[in-house]
């Protein structure tokens, strides 16, 4: 009976943080505070980039879109975690699990592409300053943002369909905090070779290649910065890139470590904690990184609060 085919089942059971039964209330409080901080921090970034005329530039246009993306990205997983902790009802329907996975993958692709676009914007601003307003005009900026949002939609819908068309015959218990690809694939029986090939291909196109483009952009930026005659000019040029580099490091670093851990068969509790890094902690710290290291954002916030 343990190997009974469960492909016709109606729901999964998300174990979430059931490994820590004594601190469920504490976890709920911590995650709720984090979610509120994410909404307020990224919401403020959106408001100031829209309301302050001094921030109506391509860099802050992308930053406002990135802040909105972070709110959406977190809202796919965190409200469900809070609900599970509050009600102790860990059942999730097959359709809800598929929807969560699909939106999570689409928004993860969008984040990867938008980070690449932001790196390209810094490359043009520093390496080709005389052509910056011509290359990064408003129409191009809108096209780049729209492309970042929609490029992954058909591919990730197909990826989700592939996963949920497989038979789940090992169990219906997902030992994770949300419906993600690695824990779901552990429940699949049968040959998953082509599904894994497709997943790795998508990761290459939407993850590894954008990361290479980001590295290339910053390599050219650093070469250009080193050629600047004044120390002040080099410092100012680098300061405009350091915040973005920190965000890239947080997002790619935590997500790659988490997925490598899942492949090496590490403890499920370690996987859950690492997953929190790129789904919650990174979006929470992004507004702080951009505001504390950016004088224009600090000035705009002072104006807003006055």
């Amino acid at each position: 009976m343990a190997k009974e085919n469960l492909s016709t089942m109606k729901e999964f059971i998300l174990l979430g943080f059931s490994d820590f039964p004594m601190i469920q209330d504490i976890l709920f409080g911590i995650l709720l505070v984090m979610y509120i901080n994410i909404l307020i921090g990224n919401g403020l970034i959106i408001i100031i980039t829209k309301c302050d005329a001094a921030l109506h530039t391509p860099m802050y246009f992308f930053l406002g879109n990135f802040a909105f993306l972070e709110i959406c990205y977190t809202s796919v997983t965190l409200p469900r975690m809070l609900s599970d902790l509050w009600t102790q009802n860990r059942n999730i329907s097959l359709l809800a699990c598929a929807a969560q996975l699909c939106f999570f993958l689409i928004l993860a692709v969008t984040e990867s592409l938008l980070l690449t676009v932001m790196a390209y914007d810094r490359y043009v601003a520093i390496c080709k300053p005389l052509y910056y307003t011509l290359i990064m005009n408003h129409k191009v900026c809108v096209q780049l943002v729209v492309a970042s949002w929609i490029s992954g939609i058909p591919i990730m819908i197909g990826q989700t369909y592939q996963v949920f068309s497989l038979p789940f015959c090992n169990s219906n218990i997902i030992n994770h905090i949300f419906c993600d690809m690695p824990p779901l694939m552990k429940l699949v029986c049968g040959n998953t070779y082509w599904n894994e090939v497709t997943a790795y291909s998508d990761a290459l196109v939407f993850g590894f290649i954008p990361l290479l483009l980001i590295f290339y952009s910053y390599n050219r930026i650093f070469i250009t910065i080193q050629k600047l005659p004044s120390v002040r000019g080099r410092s100012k040029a680098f300061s405009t890139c350091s915040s973005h580099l920190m965000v890239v490091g947080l997002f790619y670093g935590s997500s790659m470590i988490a997925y490598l851990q899942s492949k090496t068969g590490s403890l499920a509790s370690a996987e859950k904690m690492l997953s929190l890094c790129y789904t919650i902690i990174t979006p929470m710290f992004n507004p702080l990184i951009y505001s504390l290291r950016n004088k224009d954002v600090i000035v705009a916030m002072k104006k807003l609060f006055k």
Side-chain angles (χ1 to χ4, degrees), residues 28-42:
F28 176 83
I30 292 172
L31 291 178
L32 180 61
V33 170
M34 291 174 116
Y35 190 42
I36 292 171
N37 285 335
I38 289 167
L39 295 178
I40 293 174
N42 287 286

Side-chain angles (χ1 to χ4, degrees), residues 148-177:
S148 299
W149 277 93
I150 68 173
S151 294
I153 292 177
I155 306 297
M156 293 303 111
I157 290 175
Q159 184 70 260
T160 305
Y161 174 77
Q162 279 192 332
V163 172
F164 282 87
S165 63
L166 294 169
F168 297 96
C169 58
N170 291 329
S171 172
N172 70 331
I173 298 175
I174 302 175
N175 192 9
H176 204 55
I177 54 178

Side-chain angles (χ1 to χ4, degrees), residues 87-138:
T87 63
Q88 296 299 307
N89 178 15
R90 307 185 189 282
N91 293 4
I92 181 170
S93 69
L94 196 73
L95 182 59
C97 187
Q100 187 181 62
L101 176 64
C102 186
F103 281 111
F104 176 75
L105 292 176
I106 289 171
L107 293 173
V109 167
T110 303
E111 180 150 356
S112 176
L113 296 179
L114 199 52
L115 286 171
T116 309
V117 168
M118 293 169 78
Y120 175 70
D121 171 68
R122 292 298 82 209
Y123 161 75
V124 176
I126 293 172
C127 300
K128 300 182 179 181
L130 297 178
Y131 300 97
Y132 181 67
T133 55
L134 182 63
I135 296 174
M136 301 302 293
N137 58 68
H138 183 69

Side-chain angles (χ1 to χ4, degrees), residues 2-9 12 94 160-172 183-193 195:
K3 294 294 183 181
E4 181 183 356
N5 193 328
L6 297 173
S7 59
T8 58
M9 64 184 169
F12 292 104
L94 196 73
T160 305
Y161 174 77
Q162 279 192 332
V163 172
F164 282 87
S165 63
L166 294 169
F168 297 96
C169 58
N170 291 329
S171 172
N172 70 331
L184 278 168
M185 294 304 290
K186 292 176 183 177
L187 306 183
V188 172
C189 62
N191 187 3
T192 61
Y193 173 76
N195 297 86

